Amino acid sequence: MKRVRVAVTGAAGQIGYALLFRIASGQMFGEDTQVDLQLLELEQALPALKGVVMELEDCAFPLLSSVTPTSEMSVAFKDADWALLVGSIPRKKGMERADLLKKNGGIFVEQGTAIAAHAKKSCKTLVVGNPCNTNSYVAKAMADGMDERNFFAMTMLDQNRAVTQLAQKASVPVSAVKNLAIWGNHSPSMYPDFYHATINGKPAHQVIDDEDWLQGEFLTTVQKRGAAIIEARGASSAASAANAVVDTVRNLTTPTPEGEFFSVAVSSDGSYGVPEGIMFSFPVRSTGDGWEIVQGLEHNGFGHSKLNATREELLNEQAAVEELLG
Ligand SMILES: NC(=O)C1=CN([C@@H]2O[C@H](COP(=O)(O)OP(=O)(O)OC[C@H]3O[C@@H](n4cnc5c(N)ncnc54)[C@H](O)[C@@H]3O)[C@@H](O)[C@H]2O)C=CC1
Ligand SMILES: O=C([O-])CC(=O)C(=O)O
């Protein structure tokens, strides 16, 4: 039996409530891996977290070895193999994710520092709390001595949203849609790249022979889906976000099938003209342990303009947090 130590922040929040049970049931790391959960919350949320821990106990999950609720980062990140950074303030109606930059940025200064001090040197960190790309940039910058390749930000929810929109339009099952890459920021500037996606192995834009829809309604539906959920639910997406966390970790810990790729924001190595160090979502392939950015995809004028816009936005966000990094 393998064993994995997983720190989850914001564990008593909406996403935490949808995520922890899926980790504990084995859906994230598989049936052959026991899980130790180390749950970080603010002091005032510890009573609510206690209730969540009681519910985890009441599930009697065979793979769940231990659960440690705490408000101390040194306890939560101790020897962690994975740090899932969810805890932060979600946006409300009328806000953009970038509006959370100053509010949430400080959290990731502290947590990046604490991960470097307490987690395993090989710990992988996935940031979910918004604005997730730039928060991940902050955590990575503060995590002295940690490998920048072990920092990620989540754009899998955007990929899943885009896949479903294409599948519905083409009247095919979601499993027929492959290689839908999200490029750039988890924000309305993201580029859901339908030009390289396939439906039953054929280019999606040939199957859906409607470029106006693809460049227009499809794009904006995916870019603004988070806001549409807030409008409809009165709260930001939670179960689908937790589902995307499970997908992201599985994608990074299992070899990617031949010829396929998935979306995750990683520290740019300069690929596709994206400045080094920006946390930029690319099409990525995993070996199960390491990962690489898929090279050689060519973009048309439309694609280039979208890539430029999302790159510029991320550079601006990065400039806005530079003062936090000391
Ligand atoms: N990347 C993505 O695709 C998505 C990201 N999100 C983001 O995820 C974040 C969490 O969302 P929800 O769970 O809905 O929010 P929530 O408000 O329900 O839960 C957040 C939890 O984090 C805790 N928290 C706040 N500061 C903390 C700190 N310094 N350390 C530990 N815990 C802390 C709070 O006490 C709260 O329990 C938000 O920033 C939201 O915008 C949400 C959906 C998708
Ligand atoms: O939109 C939000 O604020 C929450 C989120 O990131 C999403 O649902 O994609």
Side-chain angles (χ1 to χ4, degrees):
M1 226 358 139
K2 290 184 267 182
R3 193 153 174 172
V4 65
R5 197 167 281 282
V6 187
V8 181
T9 72
Q14 290 200 91
I15 295 176
Y17 194 67
L19 177 62
L20 298 177
F21 299 86
R22 297 195 55 187
I23 303 175
S25 71
Q27 289 180 52
M28 184 174 274
F29 295 101
E31 294 293 318
D32 59 347
T33 305
Q34 289 197 314
V35 180
D36 296 281
L37 284 176
Q38 303 182 162
L39 308 179
L40 184 69
E41 257 301 347
L42 298 177
E43 185 88 39
Q44 66 263 28
L46 287 181
L49 183 59
K50 186 170 176 215
V52 179
V53 173
M54 288 160 71
E55 285 206 71
L56 280 166
E57 290 168 357
D58 294 350
C59 292
F61 287 121
L63 293 170
L64 186 57
S65 289
S66 69
V67 186
T68 309
T70 180
S71 58
E72 299 292 330
M73 285 185 284
S74 58
V75 176
F77 294 126
K78 176 123 188 72
D79 294 333
D81 298 294
W82 276 89
L84 306 176
L85 306 188
V86 179
S88 50
I89 299 164
R91 68 173 165 154
K92 309 286 180 319
K93 275 186 197 180
M95 291 167 77
E96 279 308 337
R97 297 185 187 96
D99 296 333
L100 298 172
L101 213 51
K102 292 270 160 57
K103 274 199 180 89
N104 286 339
I107 296 175
F108 296 87
V109 169
E110 286 180 358
Q111 293 184 355
T113 309
I115 287 168
H118 304 289
K120 287 201 180 122
K121 278 290 163 249
S122 57
C123 178
K124 294 187 164 74
T125 298
L126 172 65
V127 178
V128 176
N130 279 319
C132 61
N133 297 57
T134 299
N135 288 338
S136 186
Y137 172 79
V138 170
K140 170 178 72 116
M142 298 308 293
D144 254 359
M146 304 290 282
D147 185 350
E148 63 176 6
R149 287 177 57 84
N150 284 339
F151 284 80
F152 306 92
M154 191 169 89
T155 52
M156 193 65 205
L157 178 54
D158 308 303
Q159 174 180 319
N160 285 339
R161 287 166 171 167
V163 163
T164 296
Q165 293 302 314
L166 292 183
Q168 288 180 351
K169 182 75 171 175
S171 302
V172 297
V174 287
S175 57
V177 182
K178 303 273 193 232
N179 291 354
L180 188 296
I182 302 294
W183 297 79
N185 201 3
H186 174 63
S187 84
S189 77
M190 78 181 81
Y191 175 37
D193 180 4
F194 50 86
Y195 282 112
H196 293 103
T198 59
I199 297 178
N200 288 321
K202 300 194 193 82
H205 62 102
Q206 287 173 15
V207 177
I208 299 172
D209 188 17
D210 186 348
E211 207 137 346
D212 284 347
W213 181 82
L214 287 164
Q215 292 190 354
E217 196 180 325
F218 163 73
L219 218 74
T220 49
T221 299
V222 177
Q223 290 169 332
K224 296 186 177 159
R225 187 69 161 188
I229 303 279
I230 294 172
E231 188 62 37
R233 245 172 53 84
S236 68
S237 54
S240 57
N243 178 65
V245 179
V246 175
D247 284 351
T248 306
V249 174
R250 283 199 72 84
N251 283 336
L252 286 167
T253 51
T254 50
T256 311
E258 198 51 43
E260 294 186 18
F261 50 72
F262 62 92
S263 310
V264 66
V266 296
S267 184
S268 174
D269 59 359
S271 294
Y272 296 95
V274 177
E276 278 181 37
I278 299 191
M279 294 302 297
F280 195 93
S281 181
F282 287 104
V284 163
R285 286 180 51 75
S286 171
T287 58
D289 191 27
W291 55 265
E292 61 184 19
I293 297 170
V294 174
Q295 300 295 325
L297 299 178
E298 289 188 5
H299 294 284
N300 60 14
F302 182 81
H304 277 299
S305 72
K306 297 292 162 201
L307 286 187
N308 291 346
T310 196
R311 187 187 61 220
E312 286 314 299
E313 183 181 58
L314 275 169
L315 283 171
N316 286 334
E317 283 188 19
Q318 195 170 305
V321 295
E322 222 55 68
E323 66 192 31
L324 289 176
L325 306 180

